[in-house]
Amino acid sequence: MGHPKKAADIWEYPRTKEQRDSLYAKHASDETVPMGNLLSDISPKAIFKAIQIMLAKGTIKQKLLPIALDCSAFQKENFEYSKAQIEEVVDNLKKVPFREKGMKWIIDFNRELRVQFYGERIVNIPYEKMVERVDISRVGDCFRDVLGINTEVFKRDEQGRPTLQIERIAALAQPNYSAFLGKDELDVYKLELQEYHDKKVINWMKTVCSPNASTVIDDSYFALSPSDDGKGTKLEFAALQEFPLPRIMVLFGLSKWKWYREWLTRGAYRRFWNDTSGNVLKMYAGESVATGKPRTVDKTSRDNCSEAR
């Protein structure tokens, strides 16, 4: 039968224009945004969109991108989901002190900008109540500035809870001001494994591919567990992330300033974690965590999408 295919063996970032164009063409729809270039970065359309992201993101239309990926390998009985890479990140970060309240990171400048990040937050909500209202399989909806997620569930447990699924995520450029610097809108598929333990639920997320090459790697896990005193809930997020540097930032040589890149990175992760953990509390309260205005659903959209959430 051979060795089972692991998620870690799937994604290789496209380095040539031909590879990127081919990948994008396979997954493109009316709502997708291709990788830009320096000319498109300074176009009136791009500048207007950047202003809209900064000042009026609520007017940006939500998206539900079609799942055009061949998922047959994930649906096989012998498929093995690999958690090794993100587990290694967690082990690395255990050795690092917290840099700020509830946050720590390791920034690798030998690559464009690869970051290992860990964030935790204790909230005064009993764990049992938290997991009743917050579906760990939908925690991706809480990530900062998500415009929409399309989900296809492959496996469920005896209680009907998802245990393996694919998601295609559309989100605004992070941090938002990087839209002025030539950073593309996020478009990425993630394969997700959900685990339900007595005192912990976890969603493991692994990059499968990024149709517009906006993501080099974005592997992570999100977990909910009782706080040490048993009265509250601990929210945990760990990630290994690398995204292409904004093109205008590279053009003007700003990417060579290590201190500047580190300062921007720290600020970006601070906003991301504060907003994301805050959105989990909104989900618990039954409030909307969506960014942008609702999209218009037509027959074509319904035909092209799996589990619209």
Side-chain angles (χ1 to χ4, degrees), residues 83-309:
K83 300 182 290 186
Q85 186 160 253
I86 193 64
E87 287 176 330
E88 181 179 349
V89 169
V90 174
D91 288 341
N92 291 340
L93 287 165
K94 285 179 179 177
K95 307 167 188 174
V96 177
F98 283 99
R99 307 294 185 184
E100 296 184 24
K101 184 178 180 181
M103 288 176 280
K104 59 175 78 174
W105 44 72
I106 300 171
I107 303 175
D108 182 0
F109 290 101
N110 293 323
R111 299 174 181 270
E112 284 195 330
L113 188 62
R114 178 164 286 200
V115 179
Q116 300 175 63
F117 174 81
Y118 175 82
E120 71 173 37
R121 180 175 177 180
I122 308 298
V123 296
N124 191 28
I125 300 171
Y127 172 73
E128 291 75 13
K129 289 187 176 181
M130 178 67 79
V131 294
E132 280 179 5
R133 299 186 187 182
V134 175
D135 180 353
I136 195 66
S137 74
R138 300 307 314 171
V139 74
D141 297 338
C142 298
F143 290 161
R144 188 173 193 263
D145 288 344
V146 168
L147 292 175
I149 299 180
N150 194 9
T151 305
E152 183 176 346
V153 178
F154 301 137
K155 296 179 182 179
R156 296 179 184 271
D157 64 12
E158 294 179 353
Q159 298 181 43
R161 299 174 298 188
T163 56
L164 185 67
Q165 63 188 26
I166 193 79
E167 291 194 334
R168 187 173 182 183
I169 303 171
L172 297 177
Q174 295 296 316
N176 292 158
Y177 61 78
S178 64
F180 285 105
L181 300 174
K183 192 166 187 180
D184 296 309
E185 184 174 292
L186 182 73
D187 180 0
V188 62
Y189 286 95
K190 290 189 181 182
L191 185 66
E192 301 181 351
L193 175 73
Q194 291 79 33
E195 294 181 337
Y196 306 90
H197 306 287
D198 289 340
K199 293 297 182 180
K200 193 169 191 175
V201 291
I202 312 171
N203 192 347
W204 302 86
M205 295 163 268
K206 179 166 283 294
T207 308
V208 178
C209 77
S210 177
N212 67 345
S214 59
T215 304
V216 178
I217 187 168
D218 186 5
D219 292 1
S220 60
Y221 87 79
F222 203 109
L224 302 173
S225 61
S227 57
D228 291 340
D229 63 9
K231 298 179 181 180
T233 302
K234 179 190 289 187
L235 283 59
E236 292 181 274
F237 175 74
L240 174 65
Q241 297 179 318
E242 182 181 343
F243 305 99
L245 292 175
R247 288 173 291 273
I248 293 177
M249 183 179 179
V250 175
L251 176 67
F252 286 102
L254 300 178
S255 59
K256 297 179 181 178
W257 300 355
K258 180 179 176 181
W259 67 269
Y260 181 63
R261 287 168 62 186
E262 183 166 358
W263 178 70
L264 293 179
T265 300
R266 288 172 181 261
Y269 276 91
R270 185 185 305 114
R271 285 187 293 273
F272 170 82
W273 177 237
N274 288 337
D275 285 2
T276 296
S277 58
N279 281 341
V280 173
L281 299 186
K282 285 184 178 181
M283 180 178 282
Y284 170 80
E287 300 174 13
S288 172
V289 297
T291 297
K293 62 181 180 180
R295 62 195 293 276
T296 301
V297 180
D298 55 27
K299 184 178 186 301
T300 302
S301 298
R302 289 194 297 268
D303 290 345
N304 285 338
C305 298
S306 302
E307 290 195 10
R309 305 274 187 107

Side-chain angles (χ1 to χ4, degrees), residues 14-31:
R15 297 296 175 181
T16 67
K17 184 178 184 304
E18 291 74 18
Q19 290 174 329
R20 291 192 293 267
D21 289 346
S22 176
L23 178 65
Y24 179 76
K26 181 178 178 181
H27 300 273
S29 73
D30 292 341
E31 295 183 295

